[in-house]
Amino acid sequence: MDFELSDTQRPVVDALDTLLARHAGVERCRKLASGEGYDHALERELRVGGFFDSFTEESVGPLGATLAVERIGAHLGTISATAHLLVLPALGIDSLEGAVALVLDGEDLPVRFAAEAATVLTAGADRCALSHSAQAASAALPSAYGYSLGRVVAEAGEDLAPGTAATMINWWRIGVSAEAIGMMHKALDIAVQYAKDRRTFGRAIGSFQALQHRAAELTILLEGARWLTYEAAFHGAPEEAAATAAAHTMAALHTVTRETHQLLGAIGLTREHDLHLYTLRLQALRTELGGLRHHRRALVAARWGGDVS
């Protein structure tokens, strides 16, 4: 069963796909990997095109924004899409330019875009703190994951309203799930096409039933993640739904990474092949918000109560 866009959402998402095809993608990703850590040019194109504004409109809504985050992930867009399209609008924060780093207070883990971040949004026990300042260059860390990583330099920020930390975390879970789903779909597409093209014993390897079963299992996992994420976004990111989507998506991520590389064999492990551009980024996403274990604990806490620590 396919997802049907509304009459308002479809033209916006189609236009976004067209823009991303021109300004993002595999070649742009490879170029950024050897230089810039954040795609300011892509963000600028999205702003000029009015996409950051259109996804905050009620007619498009957070579900449309979630679809956009998924598309940006699928096209390997190197911008803080989850922050710009989901987290900041949910918190009622006006659009901010440049990289936004999302951080959990008290965690000393590498953070996407921390070295380039003009804005840092930190989730505390109950409130978020918002700080505006460029991070020190020393915060940058070596990264082979397709994103620049860094450690956030602690600075005092503006405390937001009570309850904003939960809002930020719930939409962050939906956003990181949507990004992962876009990349996983592309990774699976690459693996399926390889199975159609690669021949052995006079037959395409995709004609062997064992490989068909594995591809079918991945499709089921991905569709489950996709619909759970859409449902959570549609209902406004309730805690249980957001944690459920993230837990399922991150579990699927592990399987998709392993199986797509198994299907491609040694060629999929080379830097010349495109598959690693998606699967290495997925490994960066799987650590956010404490990773799979923390998503599952958050789900248990939301469902039955208790401490997730």
Side-chain angles (χ1 to χ4, degrees):
M1 181 167 58
D2 198 10
F3 177 76
E4 289 294 332
L5 296 171
S6 71
D7 292 340
T8 307
Q9 293 168 339
R10 182 175 297 281
V12 178
V13 174
D14 287 347
L16 175 63
D17 278 333
T18 300
L19 185 148
L20 290 170
R22 294 174 180 170
H23 299 283
V26 168
E27 294 308 316
R28 179 62 176 162
C29 178
R30 290 183 184 277
K31 182 178 180 180
L32 287 168
S34 62
E36 305 171 61
Y38 187 83
D39 198 344
H40 293 279
L42 175 59
E43 183 185 316
R44 185 166 55 252
E45 291 292 337
L46 291 168
R47 288 189 184 281
V48 171
F51 288 101
F52 283 9
D53 297 328
S54 65
F55 286 112
T56 61
E57 296 173 3
E58 185 176 350
S59 58
V60 177
L63 178 56
T66 302
L67 291 166
V69 172
E70 179 186 336
R71 296 297 207 277
I72 291 170
H75 285 272
L76 298 172
T78 312
I79 64 170
S80 41
T82 291
H84 283 300
L85 293 174
L86 293 174
V87 174
L88 295 179
L91 295 174
I93 299 173
D94 292 336
S95 181
L96 302 170
E97 292 188 10
V100 178
L102 301 179
V103 184
L104 290 177
D105 189 29
E107 285 204 352
D108 187 28
L109 295 174
V111 176
R112 280 194 293 164
F113 309 125
E116 298 87 6
T119 304
V120 177
L121 189 60
T122 305
D126 182 47
R127 300 170 182 257
C128 292
L130 183 68
S131 59
H132 302 281
S133 63
Q135 298 303 297
S138 60
L141 297 172
S143 172
Y145 293 100
Y147 295 111
S148 67
L149 299 176
R151 297 192 186 279
V152 171
V153 177
E155 292 186 7
E158 171 195 354
D159 283 338
L160 304 184
T164 49
T167 300
M168 170 183 165
I169 288 171
N170 292 337
W171 280 110
W172 185 357
R173 283 199 169 103
I174 290 173
V176 76
S177 297
E179 288 185 74
I181 290 163
M183 293 179 211
M184 287 192 287
H185 271 295
K186 284 292 188 180
L188 180 57
D189 287 346
I190 289 171
V192 169
Q193 188 60 52
Y194 179 82
K196 291 178 179 179
D197 296 338
R198 180 74 168 88
R199 301 184 67 82
T200 185
F201 303 114
R203 298 171 56 185
I205 62 172
S207 67
F208 296 114
Q209 195 173 60
L211 295 188
Q212 293 175 357
H213 287 171
R214 291 165 79 172
E217 179 187 1
L218 296 182
T219 301
I220 292 169
L221 286 173
L222 276 174
E223 285 303 297
R226 184 184 180 205
W227 283 99
L228 286 168
T229 301
Y230 290 175
E231 181 182 28
F234 179 78
H235 289 292
E239 184 179 5
E240 182 179 341
T244 300
H248 182 85
T249 301
M250 294 306 137
L253 184 158
H254 175 75
T255 304
V256 169
T257 300
R258 182 188 68 232
E259 290 295 311
T260 52
H261 278 283
Q262 284 284 334
L263 286 167
L264 266 73
I267 186 78
L269 298 174
T270 64
R271 288 198 173 273
E272 289 76 13
H273 200 279
D274 292 343
L275 180 62
H276 81 281
L277 298 175
Y278 300 93
T279 56
L280 283 178
R281 285 192 172 207
L282 288 171
Q283 306 320 301
L285 298 184
R286 72 185 295 187
T287 66
E288 291 195 2
L289 287 154
L292 176 59
R293 180 178 297 179
H294 199 82
H295 296 313
R296 287 174 170 170
R297 288 178 174 175
L299 170 57
V300 170
R303 182 73 172 177
W304 291 286
D307 186 5
V308 300
S309 60

